[in-house]
Amino acid sequence: MSSARDNILARVRAALGRQAADPAARSAAQVHMAAHPIGPRPALPEDLRARFLENALKLESSTDELATRKDIPVAVARYLDRLGVDRRAAGWPEFADLDWAAAGVDLAIRPTQGLDPVGVTGVYCAIAETGTLVVLAGSEAPSATLLLPDTHIAVLSAGRIVGSMEEAFALIRRERGQMPRAVNMISGPSRTGDIEQTIVLGAHGPFRVHLLILP
Amino acid sequence: MQIATMYFKDRAQLKLQDELLQYNLNKSKGKFVGKRAEAIRELDDFEATRDAAKSIRQRVLDNLDTWLEIFEENARARGTTVLWAETPDEVNRHVLDIAARHGLKKAIKSKSMVSEESALDHAIEAAGMKVVETDLGEYILQINDYEPPSHIIAPALHKSKEEVSALFAKVHGTAPKTGIQELCAEARAVLREHYLTGDLGITGANFLIAETGSVFLVTNEGNATLCTTLPKVHVAITGIEKVVPTLEEASTLLRLLTRSATGQSITNYVDILTGIKGAGEFHGAEHMYVILVDSGRSKVLASEVKEALRCIRCGACMNHCPVYQNIGGHSYGWVYPGPIGSVITPMFIGQEVAADLPNASTLCGSCASVCPVRIPLPELLRKHRETQVRLDLRPVGERLGLRLWTWLASRPALYAWATRLGVRVMKWLGGYEGRIHSLPLASGWTNGRDLPAPAGKTFRELYAARRRAGRQT
């Protein structure tokens, strides 16, 4: 046990007027955490999907609504053509089964190491209140694919849109049991206002976030 | 950071006369204020959310030892090493030990005010390693010979794009750029190279989540995300007060943090890091450390200004402070400027060296009215002033003056006579204009502006006259 730890805890306890760890405070803390108390939240409409889309657009993401999963490669090709960039991307393994060749897209299924201009990723869930994408890191979900490319294309199922951040955490607890190494929440393209408080997109991460939304 | 708080008055004076700085400050004035005012309207009940945020933070402080231990256990269970640092020097030693243990060569750093307290970048460089600040504002300051930040969330707020352009041209050896977009693109290209080659990622922590042992980070640029995704080692450095019990409570605080800071409903990136990378994961840190820093925080907890520890570092108090808005952050002379800085700085570096700071306020109350966790900042500044009187830290003239005042004010007849004389003399001094241009012992006021002269009678005289008149009718 480090002495810095002991000294700091001793000083904190002295400030709180106690000499040792307080077992009552400890059990009260456990009860408090187990209850996961939720604070005041802004009211949300019935239609979470509409609210999500509205907020995503405000954050300068762009969206495209697809009928089926099979449409993803064509939608990616369409978007890249519109941008005027090569139909080349790095993508997550969950998209390996799709017919990319037919859409004329060269999709490399591998984690990006910085040279790919476009990254295609899935999304764990999305938050209507803020228009946010929630991505959980994992062996099949390399994080840098949504960060390093200039363009990030994210595929989201409308059924995975929840109301608030609190609901996203509840979903992670229910489905995963514990937190993954990284929960990355993305709300539009990377930006900075560090020079004269003028907002510029594409600070370090993507200049563009394009959402493909499945029913 | 080098302490310059003792030169506050001189520095503030210089900054007021610095035309370029005044131009830059005026340009940014009110921007954060306006955006915040708009953003808080999105919350159905802003005041109730503030109440909730205050009690979340206070709950932790009331049992801080317990919450720290819970955080530590849960972080450890996920493979994170939790280190403790009593002093700024100890923070630097921990980081250098970690770098030596893993053979690390280049640190990429996301913004951390706690690391400014210990001048960590200098320590890293002195040890022969490279360190690169990745937040654009911090990067600008780093390449300008480590100019200190002037704001806790917008560190280069005091610089114009022309200054940044000249700096980039000099340091990068490129043609000067005119647009902000191009300047950002140039920085992006330079920093991208560092992201891909850095082996140590250093960040702060906006919150530490006790229930999961997680580090909770917010950025707009995505630099904290990159610093915690690409390098093989991640070190998060943060104050012991930053613990929050649950993810739900962090969500409540986040709604207020981003709105109070920049007027956003959420930052572009929110990252929650929990432990080391799993089997088969390509990205993510193999080794994760959290350094819990005291450096004066336990002293704050034991003091009359302990409520300052509720702070979530949004910067709203400085954005709304008329003093900060006019003198800028550098005048304050240490890491944390503005009202919150004037409360915590004397606790961190000593009342004696920072004695001017708690007095650099008109106690107008703007800061308290916007603080998302309801820190009664003017009240805490007043407590410091009381402490200064108690410790005899005030200048001799002020002490004598107060003693004289006490003597006089406790003798009502004499007081009435003296004030009657005083207001008449001052009325005479004010002359035809009714304004006093210079007054002995009060040159600090009259050097900068006129003092309106009193009307010629004291309140007690007027009151007595009115009562007499009332009786007659």
Side-chain angles (χ1 to χ4, degrees), chain B residues 160-268:
Chain B
S160 66
K161 65 171 188 288
E162 289 76 19
E163 290 172 90
V164 176
S165 170
L167 180 66
F168 278 14
K170 189 181 89 186
V171 175
H172 298 156
T174 51
K177 309 286 186 295
T178 47
I180 293 175
Q181 182 93 46
E182 291 140 298
L183 289 168
C184 291
E186 185 168 317
R188 176 187 170 102
V190 172
L191 289 168
R192 180 53 72 94
E193 197 50 44
H194 293 305
Y195 281 124
L196 297 175
T197 50
D199 45 17
L200 168 60
I202 299 176
T203 69
N206 293 91
F207 310 119
L208 299 171
I209 311 297
E211 63 164 338
T212 54
S214 312
V215 170
F216 194 109
L217 284 165
V218 306
T219 70
N220 280 320
E221 299 182 6
N223 56 324
T225 322
L226 284 159
C227 289
T228 56
T229 298
L230 300 174
K232 68 174 184 178
V233 180
H234 170 207
V235 179
I237 304 168
T238 197
I240 51 173
E241 83 282 17
K242 286 290 179 73
V243 190
V244 170
T246 61
L247 291 162
E248 282 77 2
E249 286 161 303
S251 311
T252 298
L253 294 174
L254 186 66
R255 282 192 186 92
L256 292 179
L257 173 61
T258 58
R259 287 184 173 85
S260 301
T262 53
Q264 291 171 281
S265 54
I266 191 167
T267 46
N268 291 85

Side-chain angles (χ1 to χ4, degrees), chain A residues 5 13 18 26 32 36 43 129 166 173 179 181 183-185 187 190 192 194 196-197 204-205, chain B residues 28 44 63 65 72-73 78 134 137 161 188 211 221 248-249 255 268 270-272 274 281 294:
Chain A
R5 178 185 190 276
R13 286 184 181 126
R18 59 178 70 134
R26 178 68 183 231
H32 177 82
H36 296 294
E129 183 189 325
E166 287 88 339
R173 266 186 214 115
M179 290 288 276
R181 175 192 64 79
V183 177
N184 300 119
M185 298 194 187
S187 306
S190 156
T192 180
D194 271 354
E196 296 191 355
Q197 287 176 284
H204 304 289
Chain B
S28 70
D44 299 339
N63 283 294
D65 56 332
E72 184 185 40
E73 279 163 34
R78 293 294 300 270
T134 60
K161 65 171 188 288
R188 176 187 170 102
E211 63 164 338
E221 299 182 6
E248 282 77 2
E249 286 161 303
R255 282 192 186 92
N268 291 85
V270 174
D271 305 303
I272 307 169
T274 312
E281 241 193 290
D294 184 342

Side-chain angles (χ1 to χ4, degrees), chain B residues 84-100:
Chain B
W84 301 66
E86 290 186 78
T87 60
D89 284 345
E90 204 168 349
V91 174
N92 293 354
R93 277 203 300 279
H94 278 315
V95 174
L96 296 181
D97 285 349
I98 292 164

Side-chain angles (χ1 to χ4, degrees), chain B residues 61-77:
Chain B
L61 298 178
D62 288 344
N63 283 294
L64 185 58
D65 56 332
T66 308
W67 291 109
L68 282 166
E69 286 186 329
I70 293 172
F71 169 78
E72 184 185 40
E73 279 163 34
N74 290 327
R76 273 205 191 135

Side-chain angles (χ1 to χ4, degrees), chain B residues 43-63:
Chain B
L43 297 177
D44 299 339
D45 196 342
F46 175 61
E47 295 304 330
T49 315
R50 281 174 90 195
D51 288 335
K54 174 188 170 180
S55 65
I56 289 166
R57 293 295 299 131
Q58 196 55 48
R59 172 186 301 277
V60 169
L61 298 178
D62 288 344
N63 283 294

